[in-house]
Amino acid sequence: MKMLSHTYGRGWKRGVLLLRICLLFSIGKPAFAQIRYGVPEEVREGTTVGNVAKDLGLEVALLSDRRFRVVSGSNQALFEVNRDTGDLFVRQKIDREELCQGSGACIIDLKILVENPLEMHYVIVEIADVNDHSPSFPEKEQEFEIFEQTSTGSRFQLHSARDPDAGSNSVRNYMLTPNDHFELDIRQGDDDKIPILVLKKALDREKRVSHSLSITAFDGGKPPRSGELNISIIVLDSNDNPPKFSQEIYEIEVQENIPFGTLIYKLNATDPDEGINSEIEYTFGKTLKKNAYEIFELDKTTGEIKVKRVLNYEENNVYKLDIEATDKGTPPLKGVCRVNIKIKDINDNPPEIEITSVSDTVPEDSKPGTVISLLSVTDKDSGLNGKIILRVTSDVPFELKTSYKENVYSVVTKSVLDREQKSEYQIVISATDCGVPPLSNSKVINIRICDVNDNSPDFFQNPFFFYLSENNVAGMSIFSVSATDKDENKNAAISYRIVKEGSKKDVLSFLHVNTDTGEISALKSFDFESLKTFQFQVVATDSGTPPLSSNVTVYVFILDQNDNAPVILEELC
Ligand SMILES: *[C@@H]1O[C@H](CO)[C@@H](O)[C@H](O)[C@H]1NC(C)=O
Ligand SMILES: *[C@@H]1O[C@H](CO)[C@@H](O)[C@H](O)[C@H]1NC(C)=O
Ligand SMILES: *[C@@H]1O[C@H](CO)[C@@H](O)[C@H](O)[C@H]1NC(C)=O
């Protein structure tokens, strides 16, 4: 660098030197000349710029006497001459950028003076640029806030780098760190290059909230120097994500009869956006059945579902709730889910017994197995709480039979009935479910056994002996026979009649029986001397269908009012 500059400086200098000397002398002014040198900036103190004495044709030996010196105002401090050698040398470090603005040639005018005779020479020193500055940015970091939905191709102007060096030593190029989203475009300005960041692939805040890039500016020096600018990109949120529930369908089981206000589930939807774009409000869907609003309560901020009314399995055992989660972005976005709430049965209903038919009277001659009642048993609960055990009181001649149809039972006779022994029964039917604790219910069937004519009239005594004194008054009642019947009503309504069977006499001609009472009257007055004894039968018949009857044999003995009756008895026996 220094070498090149020096060589170039000298070659160019000679041509000018000759030209200037000719020009100046021809005007006829005092003898002076102009010489031009080149020296790079930043060279060491004492570095020789050129031998002025030789170039001006001055005799070196006389320089001291002629007080050879530099007389150039402020620039005087930069250079000095050596009176022993005639060299112009650098007195202190030169900074080109301090002396000159811009990238044009940096020229220092020096006046060299010798006396005896007085001569003034003009010397020009051109300070050549050295690449002693790196490109630099006005700030260390540049920050951009970019909405995630910004379209690709959008441009963001970056700071330009400055480099006070001249020409190729100033900023020549920019490079961006490799990345997925941005590329660099360089616009040529009036006197510099302007770097522009171009979005080439859309941003997604939910994937990455910020990007750190850096751009490096290079100058054209050899080797080049560089400067760096960090670029920080904050991705701003757009409402581009709807709230999302962790599941599409939630299956929840809840016991019936839980207390009001019980929290049964807490929904949780999430929204990866930011701020109000991720603030969620929960609401019931519009398609919900009306009664679901009355039964369940949804907290719009927490997503908690509570019961606000009694849940009754028997009324409804499943509810389907559509729930929406809406964010507060503009416009808002929405996510939906379905919550299926199954109501679990608890044993809160005892079995119910319904007597669908019953015969309140049962004939006593019914055969075992005769159906006397049909009943159905139901339980509103489910599972084991439905399952029913049915019983009937054990001390009755009845039992339960299952039927062809589920839950329908029949009560049938178990053994022979006898109204005369027991005419009424209370049958207690109890149903118990298998829940914990078990619940039960019972029903009573009252059965009356109705009479069948299965008993004959029955006389107290048979045979019946009767003693009657002779000379009785004709037409008077002499005695009565009586029979009873265990049956009832018609089956026990008895009528009496006399039959002459087993009798030698025509008793019907002198005896009469009251058919209703069994009272027997003698139609004539008896005479012991002509009739001592006679016998007959009285038949008692009930009014059943068919009627039943029985008879009694009556022995009548006429007593002599003067004789002893025992004689007659002995004779008879
Ligand atoms: C740019 O960031 C990197 C990494 O954070 C850091 O090392 C470097 O010094 C930064 N550059 C500037 C110019 O601040
Ligand atoms: C919702 O779920 C997310 C992710 O599982 C969790 O980070 C957050 O704390 C939950 N919010 C609530 C209110 O439960
Ligand atoms: C009276 O009863 C006996 C024994 O039951 C029977 O054999 C007889 O035929 C009956 N007499 C009449 C008249 O019914």
Side-chain angles (χ1 to χ4, degrees):
M1 184 76 183
K2 187 181 165 191
M3 284 275 283
L4 279 174
S5 172
H6 191 71
T7 308
Y8 165 81
R10 265 194 196 278
W12 179 82
K13 175 195 71 185
R14 280 200 186 106
V16 173
L17 173 70
L18 293 177
L19 175 74
R20 292 290 169 116
I21 289 170
C22 294
L23 182 73
L24 292 170
F25 277 96
S26 68
I27 301 171
K29 290 254 172 101
F32 65 88
Q34 193 180 36
I35 311 168
R36 190 169 180 131
Y37 295 108
V39 69
E41 58 174 331
E42 306 286 336
V43 290
R44 269 199 336 271
E45 288 164 37
T47 302
T48 303
V49 177
N51 193 307
V52 187
K54 202 173 148 203
D55 289 336
L56 289 174
L58 300 172
E59 198 164 329
V60 174
L62 300 176
L63 291 179
S64 256
D65 294 344
R66 294 189 69 184
R67 297 188 60 210
F68 177 61
R69 62 187 190 271
V70 179
V71 286
S72 296
S74 60
N75 292 335
Q76 198 173 350
L78 295 175
F79 300 96
E80 209 179 330
V81 286
N82 184 329
R83 284 182 187 166
D84 297 331
T85 61
D87 281 344
L88 178 70
F89 64 90
V90 176
R91 199 173 153 211
Q92 65 180 53
K93 228 176 192 182
I94 304 164
D95 183 358
R96 191 196 73 91
E97 287 73 34
E98 197 180 291
L99 291 173
C100 305
Q101 304 294 320
S103 60
C106 184
I107 307 290
I108 305 289
D109 291 310
L110 296 177
K111 294 182 188 111
I112 306 286
L113 200 69
V114 282
E115 296 170 11
N116 299 323
L118 183 67
E119 286 173 26
M120 172 88 90
H121 299 279
Y122 294 92
V123 171
I124 294 172
V125 181
E126 184 179 340
I127 312 297
D129 185 44
V130 164
N131 193 19
D132 58 347
H133 288 88
S134 299
S136 73
F137 289 91
E139 287 168 39
K140 281 188 171 172
E141 181 164 334
Q142 193 173 3
E143 192 177 285
F144 293 91
E145 291 189 340
I146 305 178
F147 273 102
E148 56 181 323
Q149 277 181 335
T150 300
S151 51
T152 53
S154 297
R155 297 162 73 85
F156 305 89
Q157 186 168 336
L158 296 166
H159 295 310
S160 297
R162 301 272 168 235
D163 187 332
D165 293 330
S168 65
N169 290 335
S170 70
V171 177
R172 276 300 151 103
N173 205 2
Y174 289 98
M175 265 173 66
L176 185 67
T177 42
N179 71 94
D180 291 340
H181 292 276
F182 293 94
E183 61 192 3
L184 198 62
D185 183 34
I186 294 170
R187 203 178 71 205
Q188 187 60 52
D190 292 341
D191 55 356
D192 60 355
K193 293 170 189 294
I194 301 167
I196 293 171
L197 209 53
V198 181
L199 184 65
K200 67 171 176 187
K201 185 182 156 204
L203 298 167
D204 185 351
R205 194 202 65 86
E206 286 71 44
K207 282 199 182 125
R208 212 162 150 185
V209 296
S210 69
H211 298 263
S212 294
L213 309 174
S214 75
I215 178 175
T216 309
F218 294 95
D219 62 25
K222 289 188 172 117
R225 300 179 69 139
S226 65
E228 185 190 39
L229 169 69
N230 281 345
I231 303 167
S232 133
I233 289 153
I234 311 287
V235 184
L236 299 181
D237 189 43
S238 300
N239 194 23
D240 57 352
N241 286 283
K244 194 161 185 288
F245 287 95
S246 54
Q247 283 169 243
E248 275 175 37
I249 299 174
Y250 296 90
E251 303 282 356
I252 304 170
E253 269 200 344
V254 181
Q255 254 192 12
E256 63 173 331
N257 293 343
I258 56 170
F260 313 143
T262 305
L263 171 68
I264 57 168
Y265 202 74
K266 188 171 188 304
L267 288 168
N268 182 7
T270 49
D271 188 325
D273 290 328
E274 202 181 26
I276 59 165
N277 293 341
S278 70
E279 275 177 34
I280 294 172
E281 243 181 47
Y282 299 91
T283 48
F284 283 126
K286 303 283 178 290
T287 56
L288 220 56
K289 279 192 188 145
K290 191 166 163 279
N291 69 342
Y293 293 109
E294 291 158 8
I295 294 170
F296 300 102
E297 186 176 76
L298 175 65
D299 187 304
K300 69 176 181 181
T301 45
T302 63
E304 290 178 342
I305 303 174
K306 291 180 178 172
V307 286
K308 60 176 184 183
R309 230 198 56 187
V310 173
L311 294 171
N312 188 349
Y313 172 86
E314 289 74 31
E315 193 180 297
N316 196 349
N317 61 10
V318 63
Y319 291 92
K320 297 180 178 203
L321 309 182
D322 287 320
I323 291 175
E324 297 176 352
T326 313
D327 65 31
K328 295 177 180 168
T330 314
L333 295 176
K334 188 167 34 172
V336 294
C337 77
R338 161 67 64 92
V339 179
N340 289 336
I341 303 174
K342 274 198 193 130
I343 311 300
K344 259 181 17 195
D345 189 34
I346 63 164
N347 197 19
D348 59 344
N349 287 285
E352 272 176 29
I353 303 170
E354 192 197 354
I355 297 184
T356 46
S357 75
V358 63
S359 359
D360 21 289
T361 59
V362 177
E364 55 182 321
D365 63 347
S366 299
K367 290 204 178 66
T370 304
V371 175
I372 60 154
S373 178
L374 285 175
L375 39 98
S376 67
V377 184
T378 52
D379 194 313
K380 286 176 181 166
D381 296 321
S382 67
L384 277 184
N385 304 333
K387 197 161 181 279
I388 301 162
I389 295 169
L390 201 60
R391 284 194 202 87
V392 68
T393 33
S394 58
D395 57 346
V396 292
F398 301 99
E399 62 185 354
L400 281 163
K401 279 263 160 72
T402 54
S403 82
Y404 62 97
K405 221 173 131 190
E406 206 189 352
N407 295 334
V408 174
Y409 298 84
S410 54
V411 181
V412 300
T413 54
K414 184 164 73 171
S415 54
V416 174
L417 302 172
D418 184 358
R419 190 201 67 84
E420 287 71 38
Q421 253 179 31
K422 194 162 166 57
S423 62
E424 278 184 5
Y425 289 96
Q426 267 202 342
I427 308 172
V428 181
I429 293 155
S430 62
T432 307
D433 63 31
C434 300
V436 182
L439 296 177
S440 58
N441 214 340
S442 64
K443 273 268 163 85
V444 175
I445 301 177
N446 286 309
I447 297 287
R448 213 164 54 74
I449 308 300
C450 66
D451 191 42
V452 164
N453 196 20
D454 57 352
N455 285 284
S456 315
D458 185 26
F459 289 97
F460 297 116
Q461 262 180 287
N462 191 11
F464 186 77
F465 299 97
F466 182 70
Y467 302 91
L468 175 71
S469 297
E470 60 180 332
N471 302 321
N472 59 305
V473 181
M476 294 288 281
S477 158
I478 48 173
F479 65 94
S480 63
V481 290
S482 175
T484 54
D485 193 315
K486 287 180 190 157
D487 295 324
E488 62 176 2
N489 302 329
K490 270 172 68 179
N491 295 337
I494 298 171
S495 66
Y496 300 93
R497 70 192 158 90
I498 294 172
V499 289
K500 58 178 182 183
E501 236 132 295
S503 163
K504 290 175 201 114
K505 299 269 182 294
D506 180 13
V507 289
L508 292 175
S509 63
F510 54 85
L511 288 176
H512 174 261
V513 65
N514 182 320
T515 56
D516 294 336
T517 63
E519 204 165 52
I520 293 168
S521 327
L523 301 178
K524 69 170 188 182
S525 181
F526 293 110
D527 173 24
F528 175 76
E529 281 70 36
S530 56
L531 179 67
K532 292 187 176 58
T533 182
F534 62 90
Q535 67 182 85
F536 59 92
Q537 286 177 314
V538 177
V539 178
T541 307
D542 62 32
S543 308
T545 313
L548 294 177
S549 58
S550 60
N551 61 54
V552 65
T553 304
V554 183
Y555 294 94
V556 181
F557 301 95
I558 308 297
L559 298 179
D560 182 8
Q561 283 181 324
N562 300 313
D563 300 331
N564 286 320
V567 176
I568 301 163
L569 264 175
E570 270 174 2
E571 194 181 88
L572 187 88
C573 295

